[in-house]
Amino acid sequence: TAWALGKQTKAGSFVPDKFEKSFVFEQNGMKIAGKIDRIDIARDENTSYVKIIDYKSGKRTLDLGKIYDGLSLQLMVYLNSLMEDNIPAAAMYYNIDNPIVDYKAGADVDDSILASLQPQGIVNSDSNILKLLDKVTTSGKSSYIPVSYNKDGSLSKTSSATSTDRLKLLGEYASMKLVQFGKRISEGEIGANPYPDSCDYCPYHGVCGFDAKVAGYRFRKFPAIQAEKIWEKMSEATEEDGDTA
């Protein structure tokens, strides 16, 4: 893992700036504290760019639907706290692992390991920022960020990349949802109404009493919404929230 992190850093122009940076989100009487595992910074003549890394012990990807539903807010709330003075470049999870890769004749084992340890998340689609994140890859699939390139140099449809404005939207929306959840909790809304994977590691089964095997209990279902529609709904929600603030 240390070797892979070093290779990933050298592949780009970002430099680790802070580790375990204390984070406090305070709004409407609600206070949440945490730590941002790693903050990387890159600078040009007039601009500072920020990339955050969240270390995980298991594989994790960024799910736009879960952000919309309020189930995966941490990474985007962290990024939002750093966007006042920086242009958002990337928010990614890094899986701490010692992977076993399949050997293929003629393949470079180091490249295979790097590919398996590729950080997952979302990056800025601006071409200049992509070069700051990964100055090594100019075609095919990157081993350092979650993107790949078409033959004409454009980003492939499988790339996890979006514009600066949409990265800012993700941060604003995640922070808005956090405030909404805090308000609902403070108003006494504590009913057991989980999504399917919410109970997997929860130690409070005995407290909430939720049991999918008992009549009357059922998991909530994720709404089937296309990505572009999710972006639209996020934009509408943040605009409405701003109008009522």
Side-chain angles (χ1 to χ4, degrees):
T1 286
W3 166 82
L5 288 170
K7 296 284 283 187
Q8 290 166 4
T9 301
K10 289 179 180 178
S13 299
F14 280 79
V15 177
D17 183 66
K18 292 182 175 65
F19 296 92
E20 294 291 311
K21 173 70 169 62
S22 295
F23 163 86
V24 176
F25 181 94
E26 192 166 4
Q27 195 168 336
N28 295 355
M30 178 181 68
K31 185 175 182 180
I32 297 176
K35 290 185 177 180
I36 305 173
D37 287 341
R38 185 175 127 200
I39 302 171
D40 291 5
I41 297 291
R43 294 182 174 88
D44 58 22
E45 293 181 358
N46 303 309
T47 309
S48 175
Y49 305 92
V50 65
K51 173 180 75 172
I52 61 171
I53 299 288
D54 191 31
Y55 297 123
K56 295 296 183 185
S57 58
K59 285 190 177 295
R60 183 81 174 267
T61 59
L62 188 138
D63 187 319
L64 189 63
K66 286 191 175 183
I67 295 175
Y68 175 68
D69 289 328
L71 301 179
S72 183
L73 302 177
Q74 179 188 27
L75 203 60
M76 290 300 108
V77 171
Y78 284 168
L79 187 64
N80 194 51
S81 72
L82 300 168
M83 286 196 285
E84 183 175 346
D85 301 317
N86 306 284
I87 300 297
M92 298 187 290
Y93 300 107
Y94 178 80
N95 178 28
I96 299 174
D97 193 16
N98 184 22
I100 297 174
V101 298
D102 294 331
Y103 173 75
K104 297 179 181 179
D108 187 298
V109 175
D110 285 352
D111 287 346
S112 298
I113 294 173
L114 279 172
S116 70
L117 290 172
Q118 179 201 66
Q120 297 297 308
I122 194 165
V123 302
N124 197 312
S125 58
D126 181 276
S127 59
N128 292 323
I129 296 177
L130 287 172
K131 290 175 184 175
L132 292 174
L133 290 166
D134 177 6
K135 57 190 177 185
V136 174
T137 309
T138 57
S139 62
K141 186 176 182 180
S142 171
S143 293
Y144 308 103
I145 55 177
V147 304
S148 58
Y149 296 92
N150 298 315
K151 291 182 179 179
D152 63 0
S154 62
L155 287 174
S156 71
K157 291 183 179 180
T158 59
S159 297
S160 183
T162 194
S163 66
T164 298
D165 286 343
R166 281 190 166 178
L167 282 172
K168 290 180 178 180
L169 173 60
L170 283 175
E172 292 170 6
Y173 181 84
S175 297
M176 179 197 74
K177 292 294 286 186
L178 200 61
V179 171
Q180 290 176 351
F181 287 151
K183 183 174 184 293
R184 289 164 61 185
I185 291 171
S186 68
E187 291 174 348
E189 186 176 332
I190 57 172
N193 188 24
Y195 283 100
D197 57 354
S198 302
C199 301
D200 291 350
Y201 303 103
C202 179
Y204 301 108
H205 289 290
V207 177
C208 77
F210 182 88
D211 187 344
K213 297 177 182 178
V214 176
Y217 287 97
R218 64 178 62 186
F219 287 110
R220 279 190 285 173
K221 294 182 178 180
F222 291 102
I225 308 176
Q226 296 294 322
E228 200 58 38
K229 192 65 176 177
I230 290 177
W231 287 114
E232 291 178 15
K233 285 179 173 290
M234 285 184 177
S235 181
E236 291 170 0
T238 54
E239 288 177 6
E240 290 175 7
D241 185 67
D243 291 339
T244 57

